Amino acid sequence: MILKRRTFGALAAAAAMSSMLVAGAGHAQQSGGTMVMVTVPEPPNLANYLSTSGPIGQVSTKVYEGLINLGWDFEIQPSLAKSWEVSEDGLSITFNLQEGVTFHNGTPFTSADVQYSIMEVLREIHPRNAATMRPITAVETPDPMTAIFRLSEPAPYLMVALNAYESPIVSKALFEGTDPRDNPSANAPVGTGPFTFVEWEKGQYVRLDKNENYWREGQPYLDRIVVRFIADASTRTAAMEAGELHYAAFGAIPNIDVPRLAAMDEIDMSTKGYEYFAPMTQLQFNTTRAPFDNPDVRRALATAMDRQFVIDNIWYGFGKAATGPISSNFAAAGIYTDDVPSYAADDRIATANAMLDEAGVPRGADGIRFKITHDMTPYGEEWRRFGEYTKQVLAELGIEADLRYEDVGTWLKRVYTDYDYDLSSNWLFGLPDPVLGVHRQYHSNQIRQGTVFVNGTQWSSPETDALMDQATTETDPEARAVQYAEFQQRVVEASPIIFMQELEFVTVYSTKLQNAITGPMGVYNSFADMWLEQ
Amino acid sequence: MTHTAPITPDRNTPNPEPTAIARIVSFWKLFMRNRSAVVGLVILVCVISLAILAPLIYPTDPFRMVGRPMSPPLDGYLFGTDTLGRDIMAGIAHGARTSLMIGLIATIVALGIGGLIGGLAGYYGGWIDEILMRVTEVFQTIPSFIFAILLVAVLTPSIENIIIAIAVVSWPALARLVRGEVMSMRNREFVQANVVMGMADWRILLLQVLPNCLSPIIVAASLLVATAILIESGLAFLGLGDPNVMSWGFQVGAGRSVLRQAWWICTFPGIAIMLTVLAINLVGEGLNDALNPRLREREQ
């Protein structure tokens, strides 16, 4: 046994040396190997044309492709579309499609599939695309390799949404004549991507094998991807530690365990690859209820919250204090500004108490100003801790908060249908354009009773509505930046939401894995160019 | 126990009815014979004192963040602080109140339901017995902890709902016990005599039959308190506790993810649960010995 191990060690060393030599000569990718990743929780299905649920996308983006990919700075890169051209007036986009692409079941990919996927599937049943693709009036198919989008108004935010996670292209032949919500491929996806779906052992794993006919020459490098489902967090950490897993993203490894794992020679970690989502945590007020209908009270609470304490002790150091409704991820695109009213204070509690006194909510004889119920986002441990922290901060302000923790369905109904809440924690994706991820929380036309993750605070103002409307169709980046700067200032000043932190997720991966994170979509990339050092 | 019913009508002892004081003394003597029961009683008294004194020793909210997060034991705080800097000892003291309160109230409620259903079934027999026992069996076939999780999840976690859930999963065993005891009394002469005298059924059941089958019920109920505390801790551990109330199970659950970084967060509340449940079980054993002395003698 020992001998064998030594031999193995020697071989491994030789292999490592040779690969280093090769790498020195320009990163020659090695083909082969099985990459094991873990996804939490197990997805309910694999239909990302039907649901934006994260775990679904982690698996199905290896099987489906979109028209485009995104580069690190959200630059649009070719995928199923080889090239494209936007007309002067912004009202039509012509896509030239890749030739020689086939779906995993053998049918060739043509513009008819694009037309069907956009008009019949994504525009109809996809939760976000129903809004994003609303301006698309038609997709014309002059020939099998050309698709022309006709728009009712310019939509500068549309291109980024055409990626594999948000807008997968499905096979028309497989879907036509069926209800897309009820297609069998929801559990056995058939796409054009680098990996083909093989099997799904429920509760255990999904197996994806290399697509031998993939259209990108030489890719994918991996022979197989196994996506494992491990419910218990400590078991996942232990599996990562033992080298049973190569890749764990989106909080699959608890933040508290990350530093210990990352200190190991075989494991690396990164917080990159989540820029697309720009997730942000928040406390949102029901601005129709007293006393939170008073912006002075809301501002006082925004002052009292110590964002850095929350980041350090609840999210164990991963995160960045938020300044307003738009994530600092958008700094590169020029539409983020930190020139907004600041709620920083040296003594947060004393300042906030003084603000509350001035706002006309004095303490009663028992030291209590008023009582509220604080709803906690029912997404697990951190949110419980955040709720407990918030309650203590409020107690120091003389606000007695009763904590409530319900199941996801009841909580969503309470916040977005019944509006029966005072203060709730929450987190939403900012997505790669404010039109997609930010407007929904502030525009008056997004007070849509019964639709989740829209304007649940019910706050809006004519000024901010107008700014958002302008920015939606504004094609000049500089003018857009000015509009969004004013938008951010006005929202932060009204403070319908306490902006807590830009959530940082961690990807933990084996050092043997190359090209582990290749863009702002991280785990939602296709992994066609990922390879494993043998 | 001021009523006139014979406590031990089947004993053919020549002694006259012992006085209340004499009975307590003899009970105490029997209880003291069981050393482990005495140890249990001592621990239990400590836990009860802690629960009573908690608001005096730790007058502020136990959820209050008082120190540096994750300070180790003895570094300013006896048992250290948790991930948000909350004093663990304060949590244990307030958690003792929660655990004992839930344990006691849930047991009393379960005793009420179980006593009523078991009493009616045992006293009347026949089709009433059939129906009530089939209902009881339905409840008994559902694994109790899973059932409790389900109930709390549906009713939303709050102290009242947790008590309801624990009572609902705990009463069937008591119902069966009470039914058995009542059945064995039902045809005794003193009961028959009461029937002949025209006493109302509920009075016979409540004043004559039940007092005579109290001892096994007391023993079972004392053990039920321990089970109730365990169920409550389990629920809180799974995040189904009342979020506004400090509890040992909550502390263990909240500290579980940092077990490798801060062992003390889970360990001390865990020890508190273990000691309390152990103590109640030991006391229950002691009660059993003291209340059923002949059972013990027979075993020896």
Side-chain angles (χ1 to χ4, degrees):
Chain A
M1 194 63 202
I2 293 164
L3 257 177
K4 265 188 191 163
R5 257 198 203 158
R6 278 198 189 138
T7 330
F8 176 76
L11 280 172
M17 274 172 71
S18 64
S19 78
M20 273 163 68
L21 287 172
V22 179
H27 264 301
Q29 290 83 353
Q30 294 173 338
S31 284
T34 297
M35 197 279 286
V36 186
M37 63 186 270
V38 65
T39 288
V40 188
E42 181 166 1
N45 57 57
L46 298 177
N48 62 324
Y49 52 82
L50 187 65
S51 168
T52 51
S53 163
I56 297 177
Q58 293 190 28
V59 182
S60 57
T61 47
K62 319 297 173 265
V63 180
Y64 288 114
E65 287 178 298
L67 287 174
I68 59 106
N69 269 345
L70 291 175
W72 276 114
D73 292 322
F74 295 107
E75 67 272 22
I76 314 290
Q77 296 173 341
S79 181
L80 283 177
K82 193 160 58 176
S83 61
W84 51 87
E85 202 179 314
V86 185
S87 68
E88 276 293 313
D89 57 7
L91 293 178
S92 73
I93 312 172
T94 307
F95 291 95
N96 300 307
L97 306 181
Q98 296 285 355
E99 283 163 31
V101 178
T102 55
F103 283 97
H104 299 153
N105 62 0
T107 52
F109 159 74
T110 68
S111 54
D113 298 307
V114 176
Q115 182 195 46
Y116 184 83
S117 300
I118 301 289
M119 297 308 288
E120 305 295 326
V121 182
L122 298 168
R123 203 169 172 278
E124 294 298 318
I125 62 172
H126 189 274
R128 291 198 285 250
N129 278 327
T132 313
M133 293 184 172
R134 191 183 41 81
I136 304 180
T137 51
V139 174
E140 290 169 11
T141 55
D143 68 70
M145 288 299 116
T146 309
I148 306 174
F149 286 24
R150 300 289 181 196
L151 310 177
S152 59
E153 59 185 38
Y157 52 88
L158 181 63
M159 284 300 280
V160 286
L162 296 176
N163 62 75
Y165 162 65
E166 195 83 9
S167 307
I169 300 299
V170 301
S171 160
K172 181 181 181 182
L174 212 63
F175 275 72
E176 202 175 24
T178 69
D179 178 358
R181 286 184 186 82
D182 209 18
N183 195 283
S185 73
N187 288 321
V190 177
T192 56
F195 295 92
T196 58
F197 173 83
V198 180
E199 61 173 336
W200 183 359
E201 192 69 43
K202 290 267 159 75
Q204 307 266 325
Y205 63 87
V206 166
R207 184 182 135 196
L208 308 171
D209 279 1
K210 179 179 190 165
N211 174 6
E212 299 287 354
N213 302 316
Y214 190 53
W215 57 272
R216 281 183 211 261
E217 209 52 45
Q219 292 184 355
Y221 302 114
L222 297 170
D223 280 344
R224 179 175 296 169
I225 295 177
V226 173
V227 186
R228 285 181 64 186
F229 310 118
I230 303 172
D232 180 61
S234 355
T235 314
R236 290 193 295 273
T237 302
M240 194 80 212
E241 208 169 358
E244 288 171 29
L245 300 173
H246 294 109
Y247 194 94
F250 253 115
I253 302 295
N255 284 355
I256 183 102
D257 290 330
V258 169
R260 187 166 50 84
L261 289 187
M264 294 172 61
D265 289 340
E266 311 81 48
I267 296 178
D268 268 346
M269 72 100 175
S270 172
T271 55
K272 302 211 48 116
Y274 299 96
E275 292 79 357
Y276 180 89
F277 303 97
M280 216 190 286
T281 65
Q282 64 187 37
L283 282 169
Q284 65 182 74
F285 298 104
N286 184 348
T287 61
T288 63
R289 266 194 199 174
F292 294 141
D293 55 350
N294 179 350
D296 290 327
V297 175
R298 302 199 295 258
R299 283 191 277 264
L301 264 64
T303 306
M305 298 297 291
D306 185 346
R307 291 154 183 78
Q308 202 56 46
F309 181 90
V310 171
I311 293 169
D312 288 344
N313 296 297
I314 299 177
W315 272 273
Y316 299 112
F318 293 96
K320 184 178 168 195
T323 57
I326 293 180
S327 160
S328 64
N329 270 343
F330 291 105
I335 50 181
Y336 164 81
T337 179
D338 57 4
D339 181 20
V340 292
S342 164
Y343 293 120
D346 289 335
D347 187 340
R348 295 181 163 277
I349 299 299
T351 312
N353 266 315
M355 289 168 84
L356 285 171
D357 290 338
E358 273 176 41
V361 277
R363 284 177 188 262
D366 52 356
I368 306 285
R369 293 179 198 273
F370 53 88
K371 293 182 183 184
I372 61 160
T373 301
H374 173 36
D375 287 283
M376 297 179 282
T377 321
Y379 290 170
E381 282 292 297
E382 291 97 346
W383 295 98
R384 290 289 286 259
R385 297 297 91 76
F386 182 37
E388 289 155 14
Y389 166 79
T390 306
K391 177 177 168 152
Q392 293 307 311
V393 170
L394 294 179
E396 307 244 5
L397 301 182
I399 301 168
E400 193 176 305
D402 214 21
L403 295 177
R404 182 164 49 199
Y405 193 79
E406 295 171 319
D407 62 283
V408 178
T410 314
W411 171 73
L412 285 174
K413 184 166 177 292
R414 179 181 292 286
V415 174
Y416 290 107
T417 305
D418 301 337
Y419 301 126
D420 181 19
Y421 74 103
D422 302 314
L423 177 71
S424 179
S425 54
N426 202 347
W427 70 288
L428 275 83
F429 285 160
L431 297 177
D433 193 285
V435 175
L436 307 178
V438 176
H439 289 197
R440 54 180 169 160
Q441 280 212 91
Y442 306 98
H443 203 291
S444 60
N445 67 15
Q446 293 291 321
I447 305 175
R448 296 154 63 194
Q449 198 167 12
T451 305
V452 300
F453 301 117
V454 290
N455 189 342
T457 67
Q458 303 160 80
W459 175 88
S460 69
S461 75
E463 294 80 17
T464 48
D465 276 5
L467 287 165
M468 284 185 279
D469 291 341
Q470 289 163 25
T472 302
T473 52
E474 181 61 67
T475 44
D476 173 23
E478 276 177 27
R480 221 172 171 230
V482 172
Q483 287 153 2
Y484 275 128
E486 194 186 340
F487 167 77
Q488 288 167 79
Q489 284 151 2
R490 285 183 181 272
V491 170
V492 173
E493 205 200 332
S495 199
I497 283 172
I498 302 178
F499 306 101
M500 288 302 300
Q501 52 161 331
E502 295 170 10
L503 210 50
E504 272 184 346
F505 286 100
V506 189
T507 305
V508 180
Y509 56 96
S510 158
T511 46
K512 280 193 206 152
L513 210 55
Q514 304 299 314
N515 288 339
I517 302 163
T518 53
M521 302 194 66
V523 66
Y524 297 92
N525 282 321
S526 73
F527 290 180
D529 50 357
M530 183 184 273
W531 57 281
L532 205 54
E533 250 172 43
Q534 302 292 319
Chain B
M1 298 217 173
T2 51
H3 51 81
T4 52
I7 293 298
T8 50
D10 56 334
R11 278 191 199 171
N12 36 20
T13 101
N15 293 349
E17 192 63 15
T19 66
I21 292 171
R23 260 184 295 162
I24 289 172
V25 169
S26 100
F27 165 82
W28 187 245
K29 273 185 183 160
L30 285 165
F31 185 86
M32 292 295 278
R33 254 204 267 162
N34 184 337
R35 291 247 178 83
S36 54
V38 175
V39 173
L41 189 65
V42 170
I43 299 174
L44 193 58
V45 167
C46 291
V47 176
I48 293 172
S49 321
L50 186 64
I52 294 171
L53 295 175
L56 299 174
I57 321 174
Y58 300 101
T60 57
D61 188 343
F63 283 98
R64 203 181 135 104
M65 296 163 291
V66 291
R68 197 167 50 80
M70 298 215 260
S71 320
L74 299 175
D75 184 12
Y77 299 92
L78 179 61
F79 289 158
T81 62
D82 75 357
T83 53
L84 288 184
R86 298 175 289 209
D87 184 352
I88 291 174
M89 186 57 212
I92 290 178
H94 283 264
R97 293 172 76 82
T98 314
S99 289
L100 292 180
M101 196 241 323
I102 289 184
L104 271 178
I105 299 180
T107 303
I108 291 169
V109 176
L111 209 53
I113 307 173
L116 183 71
I117 290 184
L120 290 177
Y123 187 79
Y124 288 108
W127 62 269
I128 296 182
D129 182 35
E130 280 292 322
I131 292 173
L132 290 177
M133 282 305 106
R134 291 306 85 78
V135 172
T136 310
E137 277 160 12
V138 168
F139 278 88
Q140 281 189 304
T141 51
I142 310 172
S144 58
F145 190 61
I146 310 273
F147 193 26
I149 291 177
L150 182 80
L151 285 173
V152 174
V154 171
L155 297 172
T156 72
S158 72
I159 278 284
E160 300 81 28
N161 290 335
I162 290 166
I163 289 172
I164 291 172
I166 296 176
V168 165
V169 303
S170 307
W171 67 266
L174 281 174
R176 296 204 77 100
L177 176 73
V178 172
R179 170 180 174 265
E181 292 294 319
V182 171
M183 274 180 137
S184 72
M185 292 285 162
R186 176 68 181 89
N187 294 318
R188 295 284 171 78
E189 278 155 7
F190 76 95
V191 176
Q192 298 290 352
N194 282 320
V195 173
V196 172
M197 280 158 63
M199 210 179 205
D201 283 348
W202 68 270
R203 290 194 64 185
I204 302 177
L205 190 54
L206 211 62
L207 302 177
Q208 305 293 332
V209 179
L210 275 184
N212 284 294
C213 39
L214 265 186
S215 14
I217 296 174
I218 289 175
V219 173
S222 70
L223 297 177
L224 196 59
V225 175
T227 317
I229 290 176
L230 272 184
I231 295 179
E232 189 277 330
S233 298
L235 289 171
F237 174 80
L238 294 175
L240 288 169
D242 187 326
N244 297 294
V245 177
M246 185 49 85
S247 140
W248 294 335
F250 161 81
Q251 289 187 292
V252 177
R256 188 177 72 118
S257 54
V258 292
L259 188 60
R260 296 174 76 144
Q261 288 82 6
W263 56 269
W264 55 89
I265 302 178
C266 301
T267 308
F268 294 112
I271 291 173
I273 297 174
M274 190 195 75
L275 283 180
T276 308
V277 171
L278 180 73
I280 295 175
N281 274 299
L282 292 176
V283 170
E285 286 281 307
L287 283 178
N288 194 29
D289 292 351
L291 291 170
N292 302 310
R294 283 178 304 150
L295 195 66
R296 185 181 163 86
E297 278 152 22
R298 225 180 295 146
E299 276 167 7
Q300 286 167 345

